[in-house]
Amino acid sequence: MKFFIDTANLNDIAEAESLGILDGVTTNPSLMAKEKISGTEAVMAHYKKICDITDGDVSAEVISTDFEGMKAEATELVKIADNIVVKIPMIRDGVKTLAWCASQGIRTNCTLVFSAGQAILAAKAGATYVSPFIGRIDDIGWDGMQLIADIAEIYAIQGFETEILAASIRNGKHIIDAAKAGADVVTCGLSAFESLFNHPLTDIGLEKFLADHAKAAGH
Ligand code: G3P
């Protein structure tokens, strides 16, 4: 399973990269706004900075919602770096754009996916990644993780090659459950990744090992 970090914060990306287990970065317009990055030039420059930190796939989202606009943005975004993946919303023109990108060899991430039907459309259109939003489905009282399992089952039966990118992942349990449900990738903030490190028995065990070592050495 791949680990992507879901942020546009350069420090968090660098920190995740330094762990040696980062496979990529996902961003979206809200995450860009959170970093106070606005205007096409600044956004493009920020993507370049992210691509300078990591060789992993970097999802860069289009703003247009029409076919021609999305095609034009995809064409510009992939010029930034080889590891750019164009993030395209699951709307009618988005599906057309996914298919066009596939025909041009442009890799894509289909975002805002909330149903198995939408995931089938994304795969049919040749998306590289499909992003079901787990946390946001849970937020409305539905079962986000069941959607990952459903898509994994469908893709396996049908032989679709689109990778399932579990997005809107909010905590460590989400990461573990997405791994069990068949996600190829999880994307989340740094704190969710870091929560995987924690176990009280690890801390207690290490303290005891070090204390025993010190005792044996006569300290
Ligand atoms: O990048 C898309 C997704 O991960 C957003 O997550 O927490 O805003 O629902 P969230």
Side-chain angles (χ1 to χ4, degrees):
M1 187 176 73
K2 295 181 197 170
F3 270 168
F4 287 0
I5 188 164
D6 196 30
T7 185
N9 183 283
L10 299 179
N11 292 333
D12 282 4
I13 295 167
E15 177 60 29
E17 178 69 21
S18 76
L19 291 172
I21 57 169
L22 188 71
D23 299 297
V25 179
T26 51
T27 63
N28 61 42
S30 304
L31 293 171
M32 281 290 187
K34 200 170 159 193
E35 300 306 314
K36 307 201 182 335
I37 311 293
S38 67
T40 310
E41 240 173 72
V43 167
M44 300 291 263
H46 199 73
Y47 284 138
K48 176 78 178 78
K49 286 182 191 166
I50 295 173
C51 293
D52 286 343
I53 298 173
T54 180
D55 291 333
D57 287 348
V58 174
S59 286
E61 188 158 342
V62 299
I63 304 300
S64 307
T65 53
D66 64 293
F67 182 47
E68 292 305 325
M70 284 189 268
K71 270 199 311 189
E73 281 192 63
T75 305
E76 289 308 308
L77 286 168
V78 292
K79 288 179 189 163
I80 297 172
D82 289 345
N83 52 334
I84 286 283
V85 173
V86 182
K87 204 171 180 187
I88 296 171
M90 171 38 73
I91 54 178
R92 183 176 287 262
D93 275 24
V95 169
K96 279 171 73 170
T97 312
L98 290 168
W100 177 81
C101 285
S103 75
Q104 303 299 306
I106 296 174
R107 295 180 309 132
T108 52
N109 173 359
C110 180
T111 190
L112 291 168
V113 167
F114 295 93
S115 76
Q118 291 177 327
I120 290 172
L121 287 174
K124 283 291 294 172
T128 312
Y129 297 104
V130 64
S131 288
F133 277 31
I134 303 316
R136 292 192 195 183
I137 294 175
D138 288 353
D139 288 346
I140 60 161
W142 293 20
D143 186 350
M145 216 47 75
Q146 184 57 49
L147 177 58
I148 298 291
D150 289 345
I151 298 171
E153 186 182 351
I154 291 165
Y155 280 13
I157 290 169
Q158 298 298 330
F160 288 135
E161 286 174 7
T162 300
E163 291 186 55
I164 303 167
L165 195 171
S168 189
I169 291 277
R170 308 271 174 78
N171 53 52
K173 186 170 185 312
H174 268 163
I175 297 173
I176 295 161
D177 289 345
K180 283 162 64 179
D184 299 293
V185 191
V186 288
T187 192
C188 59
L190 189 59
S191 62
F193 281 131
E194 288 179 333
S195 73
L196 297 182
F197 281 110
N198 304 333
H199 199 289
L201 291 179
T202 303
D203 301 337
I204 293 166
L206 182 60
E207 203 177 316
K208 175 93 171 59
F209 284 156
L210 296 179
D212 288 346
H213 172 75
K215 208 188 300 168
H219 294 307

